[in-house]
Amino acid sequence: MKTLVKKVNRENINKDVIKHGAELIKKGELVAFPTETVYGLGASGLNGRACEKIFKTKNRPADNPLILHISSIDMLYTLVGEVREDAKKLMHLWPGPLTMVFKKSKLIPDIVTAGGDTVAIRFPEDRIAHELIKEANIPIAAPSANISGRPSPTNAEDVYYDLEGKIPLIIDGGPSNIGIESTVIDMSEEIPTILRPGFYTYEYIREILPHVILDDALVDDKKIPKSPGQKYRHYAPKAQMKIFVGFEASDRIYDIANEQKNLGKKVGILTFEDKIDRFKDFYTISFGQKSDLRYMSHILFTALRQMDREGVDIILAEGVNEKNLGKSIMNRMKKSASGNIEYL
Ligand code: TXA
Ligand code: MG
């Protein structure tokens, strides 16, 4: 199959491309499209066969449910059972990088929910995503548009790299604004539970819902996550990766980098702007200023994929404290490195 890549300008949206995308979705085909978090691989969320294609194309484990993307609150009420007061409070963050899990309605094919009785819903803010869902006039099921296990794609080139020849259309809206996936919160039971931290942090959600809790697995790395997708190896670059956290992280990275270089390995370094000069002899990508976690989360997946393109054998990365956005970032980084982390 030939994969078309069609550019759309967010400021002046090309309706023809949106119409083409919506037609494909309605016909049961797959379309990759930008959202403010990462690119999604979309299919009609009410068409079980189309959703099956998502699983095949991504090589996604069948027990990992999909998120349905909506373009209005009205759409929500057809897809879910009870909507609790707490969920209504969080709806003020919609449209935006927040996914809520509800009891599902009968309309939803089993494959979307991986056979479970709950469904994840997100109302994205990105204008291109919004127009596409509105034009298709059906909820769009969309996981991140990567082959399962790889870092999520934050631009059309990264989608093309993974899915070229496998899908008919990629809508190219340029780089995703946020760069890490939405916060997933289970609202289907009495106590709201954060299953995946994202742009909206635990600390932030707690200000709206003081009784929100973090899934056990986000507190203790040894616990099994409640969200199926969180238990798999994930976000993994091709290179081996190791993370270092603490005051002496940079010194340790420096030593190991030289050691590995002497062994003939190509070393990639991910560190903060003030340390970059030290690593001139290596392939480096900057995480920006340590105080700007927003930038770090924006660049993380893009940087991991860039490391792959550069063909590095080993990535040595500086991590951060697991507070606020740091928790969401470290959630991704630890999975990328398969838990290979050193605290100094
Ligand atoms: O930002 C995002 O959320 C992106 C964009 C494309 O919207 N999508 C995304 O989808 O990250 P995906 O499939 O890569 O991750 C969805 C996560 C997985 O960890 C999955 O297990 C979880 O949400 N999830 C989906 N439905 C669920 C459900 N009913 N109960 C619990 N977790 C669920
Ligand atoms: Mg994903």
Side-chain angles (χ1 to χ4, degrees):
M1 176 184 308
K2 178 152 174 54
T3 301
L4 289 177
V5 180
K6 291 196 172 172
K7 279 202 168 38
V8 171
N9 176 355
R10 212 170 253 103
E11 307 314 315
N12 181 14
I13 292 179
N14 182 335
K15 283 274 178 197
D16 289 347
V17 178
I18 299 294
K19 284 212 169 96
H20 180 194
E23 282 312 314
L24 286 168
I25 297 273
K26 283 194 274 193
K27 276 199 316 209
E29 299 295 337
L30 303 188
V31 175
F33 63 98
T35 83
E36 69 274 26
T37 56
V38 300
Y39 273 64
L41 178 61
S44 164
L46 301 180
N47 177 341
R49 278 231 162 114
C51 291
E52 222 177 286
K53 288 186 188 168
I54 292 181
F55 284 85
K56 274 215 179 104
T57 305
K58 276 188 60 120
N59 202 10
R60 184 179 176 95
D63 67 350
N64 191 3
L66 304 173
I67 298 175
L68 291 185
H69 294 68
I70 56 174
S71 57
S72 70
I73 300 282
D74 284 348
M75 236 184 203
L76 168 76
Y77 286 98
T78 63
L79 305 173
V80 303
E82 188 194 1
V83 177
R84 293 169 181 276
E85 282 309 310
D86 282 346
K88 287 183 186 151
K89 284 187 192 153
L90 283 191
M91 260 182 224
H92 294 294
L93 301 177
W94 274 353
L98 170 74
T99 298
M100 286 196 264
V101 174
F102 301 91
K103 289 271 185 279
K104 70 165 200 167
S105 80
K106 289 198 184 73
L107 217 60
I108 297 167
D110 278 343
I111 190 165
V112 169
T113 63
D117 63 353
T118 60
V119 63
I121 311 277
R122 176 155 119 76
F123 185 165
E125 184 172 29
D126 184 284
R127 290 184 56 198
I128 299 171
H130 183 79
E131 290 298 320
L132 181 70
I133 304 161
K134 212 170 74 181
E135 181 69 31
N137 198 25
I138 24 178
I140 297 186
S144 48
N146 51 280
I147 297 292
S148 281
R150 303 258 308 130
S152 300
T154 53
N155 54 64
E157 292 76 25
D158 288 349
V159 178
Y160 192 78
Y161 183 91
D162 275 19
L163 300 182
E164 192 232 320
K166 297 187 167 141
I167 59 173
L169 178 66
I170 299 172
I171 300 180
D172 179 358
S176 290
N177 180 23
I178 290 176
I180 58 168
E181 307 91 338
S182 63
T183 303
V184 179
I185 310 188
D186 186 352
M187 305 301 298
S188 69
E189 287 176 49
E190 188 133 347
I191 300 186
T193 308
I194 298 183
L195 304 178
R196 177 176 73 182
F199 178 79
Y200 287 122
T201 62
Y202 170 56
E203 290 84 349
Y204 185 85
I205 300 289
R206 216 172 38 183
E207 284 178 25
I208 307 170
L209 301 179
H211 52 299
V212 70
I213 58 170
L214 281 163
D215 183 33
D216 285 348
L218 295 171
V219 183
D220 176 352
D221 287 344
K222 289 180 207 76
K223 294 269 167 66
I224 295 171
K226 203 170 157 197
S227 192
Q230 293 290 297
K231 67 176 188 267
Y232 297 109
R233 184 174 146 80
H234 232 112
Y235 314 123
K238 289 178 183 151
Q240 191 196 335
M241 176 162 158
K242 183 155 186 182
I243 308 164
F244 302 84
V245 184
F247 283 119
E248 284 158 39
S250 182
D251 292 339
R252 185 90 172 115
I253 293 176
Y254 187 78
D255 290 345
I256 298 181
N258 280 298
E259 210 175 280
Q260 291 293 319
K261 193 179 162 211
N262 292 337
L263 290 171
K265 298 270 200 246
K266 179 156 184 181
V267 182
I269 308 281
L270 288 168
T271 191
F272 295 93
E273 197 60 38
D274 56 334
K275 308 273 174 47
I276 283 287
D277 280 352
R278 204 173 171 186
F279 295 101
K280 276 199 203 86
D281 291 346
F282 305 95
Y283 182 70
T284 55
I285 298 176
S286 172
F287 275 153
Q289 309 293 338
K290 208 171 198 168
S291 55
D292 186 2
L293 293 180
R294 182 74 188 70
Y295 180 77
M296 186 182 184
S297 62
H298 173 73
I299 203 72
L300 176 65
F301 287 143
T302 316
L304 292 178
R305 281 180 173 266
Q306 185 53 35
M307 287 284 170
D308 275 352
R309 276 199 279 266
E310 198 60 30
V312 308
D313 301 307
I314 178 162
I315 301 169
L316 304 174
E318 185 166 350
V320 289
N321 285 335
E322 294 187 35
K323 273 191 278 178
N324 294 304
L325 200 49
K327 188 158 193 74
S328 314
I329 293 170
M330 289 303 284
N331 170 264
R332 295 353 183 239
M333 282 182 79
K334 285 199 269 187
K335 287 187 172 45
S336 305
S338 299
N340 195 356
I341 184 164
E342 205 178 309
Y343 295 94
L344 299 133

